[in-house]
Amino acid sequence: MESAYLQKNLGTCLTQGLAEVARMRPVDPIEYLALWIYNYKNNVTMEQQRQEEMAQLEQERELAVMEQEMMERLKAEEFLFQQQQLAFQLELEMQEKERQRIEELQRAQEQLEKELRMNMESIAKGEDISHGEDEADSGRTLAEISDRYGAPNLSRVEELDEPMLSDVALNIDQDL
């Protein structure tokens, strides 16, 4: 039992210490072994702390890598969001310009329609005036109606229902 206890608690320590004494061959091997065993506990504790620190550093490094990847994804998403926002703003501006262009076209069309109505009204008024003048002028001669110099002074012109050939035209047909 004592050997099991010693094997369990001091086996590794004594084995490594004796190996160190054999390797170094100090002048006082017992004192060297005692100091080595005394420092063994500190060395084991320090090694455990170093391994814990290394594990903690590895975890922190992994967290830092994950955080950096997350930041890169966030930046990419932010960039994509900004691109979408710019595209949306451009679309809104294009729609606004299109709306303004349509409004200008509608205003121009309304103006043209208004001018067309005014022209149609003025033409209609002009016809009404000219019809009124025709009825009023029916008793006047062409010279009185016209402002031109040399206009004939005829009260009316007679038109024949059947066209008559002149004597000259009849003589030409007979000679042929």
Side-chain angles (χ1 to χ4, degrees), residues 105-117:
L105 287 174
Q106 287 175 345
R107 278 189 238 123
Q109 185 177 4
E110 289 173 0
Q111 184 67 25
L112 286 173
E113 288 174 357
K114 185 177 179 182
E115 290 176 7
L116 181 62
R117 273 187 261 127

Side-chain angles (χ1 to χ4, degrees), residues 169-176:
L170 289 174
N171 287 336
I172 294 174
D173 289 335
Q174 292 176 354
D175 291 335
L176 294 174

Side-chain angles (χ1 to χ4, degrees), residues 60-76:
E60 289 176 3
R61 187 188 66 78
E62 289 174 1
L63 287 174
V65 167
M66 289 174 45
E67 186 176 325
Q68 184 177 4
E69 289 173 356
M70 181 67 78
M71 291 300 288
E72 288 174 0
R73 276 191 244 128
L74 286 174
K75 285 181 182 179

